[in-house]
Amino acid sequence: MLKPVTYPSFRSVLAHRQSQGKAARLVGAHDTLGGRLAQEAGFDGVWASSLEISAARCLPDASVLTMTEYLGSAVHTQRGTGIPVVADVDTGYGNNLNVTHMVHEYEAAGITAVCLEDKLYPKMNSFVSAPQTLLDAETFCSKIRVAKQAQRTDDFFVIARTEALIDGLGVPVALDRCHAYVDAGADAVLVHSKDRTNEPILAFLQQWEDRAPVVIVPTTYPDWHVDDAAKAGVSAVIYANHGLRATMHALRDAYRSILDNGTTTDLEGQIASVGDIFAVQQLTAWRGLETA
Ligand code: SPV
Ligand code: MG
């Protein structure tokens, strides 16, 4: 029987992990296959990463793609995946009007959580050495307020992401902004950092007093064990781009091997079988429809 894939909301998954004293773990993806493999591995959710979605088209993560294109990737991922997608919606694609439209569209399409960041539109990926100028805090609070007003169900979850540390403004500014974002209605905050250690995040957590769940993206401080992060007060950890990076490595190795060896014999044991592909396609169930 082929039924549409069902999935819990991000809010319920986060609450469940919190009740276990654990942090939710999410991994970046840009398509259904990535989402399905994340689910198969046991992740709690999928991050519909703007970096991955744009890189999959060899475009910069710089507000080049449109909301509709990001939405399409997030929705394809969610439709085939039994864990919730958290959509990285960058700056909300413009001003309050764009944010409102974005929430209407994402929620109607079945996405249960979005993450809005406090940079200027158009934004540039946080790891690029380029100006990472922030929107003033009150204007961003206004975006959070309209996002929360626009949602149809109580379940829809809005994460407010501050880039204060990315912009070099320090922990006190990150704290001030996150307090203001929670006052404006944010369901959680994401504190991004490109520091090589977890120190700024730890300093943030020590002063945060658990006001709302804290989400982190430990790309540049990869050695912080998820359980230690949870003990320090982190509610969700996003491994934002590791799937894409693993894919690039694997494809390069496989393509090189084919060209260098002149056959694919060496590769056969290292790549998925065609049967494995049929399995993710649920081919047997689909073929059953031919004679149903
Ligand atoms: C993404 O994965 O698109 C993110 C995280 O927003 S980062 O690339 O670190 O900005
Ligand atoms: Mg992004």
Side-chain angles (χ1 to χ4, degrees):
M1 280 268 273
L2 275 166
K3 297 271 191 207
V5 171
T6 58
Y7 51 90
S9 67
F10 179 65
R11 183 185 293 280
S12 66
V13 166
L14 192 66
H16 177 64
R17 293 306 268 161
Q18 278 183 315
S19 73
Q20 298 174 317
K22 298 275 189 194
R25 287 190 278 184
L26 288 76
V27 70
H30 58 270
D31 60 17
T32 319
L33 181 60
R36 190 71 71 80
L37 295 182
Q39 178 188 356
E40 189 183 289
F43 279 95
D44 301 299
V46 178
W47 169 246
S49 154
S50 67
L51 177 66
E52 284 219 9
I53 294 168
S54 43
R57 293 181 54 183
C58 296
L59 289 169
D61 179 19
S63 306
V64 172
L65 292 176
T66 63
M67 182 203 79
T68 320
E69 291 170 302
Y70 285 114
L71 174 64
S73 283
V75 167
H76 283 140
T77 303
Q78 184 65 90
R79 295 248 167 93
T81 305
I83 51 177
V85 166
V86 174
D88 173 7
V89 293
D90 288 345
T91 63
Y93 311 109
N95 64 14
N96 286 0
L97 283 67
N98 304 89
V99 168
T100 297
H101 178 56
M102 177 275 291
V103 170
H104 290 164
E105 293 290 306
Y106 275 72
E107 190 179 23
I111 300 296
T112 65
V114 295
C115 177
L116 263 173
E117 70 190 51
D118 60 1
K119 284 215 298 253
L120 292 183
Y121 174 88
K123 69 84 190 252
M124 178 57 71
N125 181 267
S126 307
F127 295 124
V128 180
S129 301
Q132 297 284 352
T133 314
L134 268 50
L135 191 61
D136 71 89
E138 181 39 42
T139 309
F140 189 69
C141 285
S142 175
K143 281 190 176 183
I144 298 292
R145 279 193 295 273
V146 300
K148 292 302 292 175
Q149 283 161 14
Q151 71 188 61
R152 193 169 42 82
T153 66
D154 291 343
D155 222 15
F156 193 75
F157 198 90
V158 176
I159 303 170
R161 162 173 166 175
T162 186
E163 295 277 290
L165 301 180
I166 296 290
D167 196 24
L169 299 175
V171 172
V173 174
L175 279 162
D176 283 352
R177 281 187 170 251
C178 287
H179 280 297
Y181 301 164
V182 173
D183 290 340
D187 296 294
V189 295
L190 188 159
V191 188
H192 201 9
S193 167
K194 58 182 177 186
D195 203 276
R196 296 278 156 200
T197 76
N198 60 4
E199 280 163 28
I201 300 293
L202 272 175
F204 177 95
L205 290 164
Q206 277 154 11
Q207 298 169 75
W208 179 239
E209 293 170 349
D210 229 5
R211 259 208 86 195
V214 174
V215 183
I216 62 164
V217 183
T219 307
T220 56
Y221 46 103
D223 51 349
W224 202 12
H225 193 283
V226 61
D227 293 340
D228 294 329
K231 279 189 205 116
V234 171
S235 293
V237 178
I238 299 175
Y239 303 94
N241 46 46
H242 301 75
L244 176 69
R245 289 160 62 197
T247 304
M248 287 180 67
H249 233 144
L251 289 181
R252 284 205 173 106
D253 284 353
Y255 295 165
R256 193 72 268 142
S257 163
I258 295 169
L259 292 181
D260 287 352
N261 292 324
T263 78
T264 62
T265 315
D266 278 3
L267 203 53
E268 291 301 335
Q270 299 166 40
I271 57 180
S273 66
V274 174
D276 199 2
I277 300 172
F278 291 165
V280 296
Q281 291 173 313
Q282 296 180 275
L283 187 63
T284 307
W286 282 98
R287 291 217 60 207
L289 297 176
E290 291 169 350
T291 52

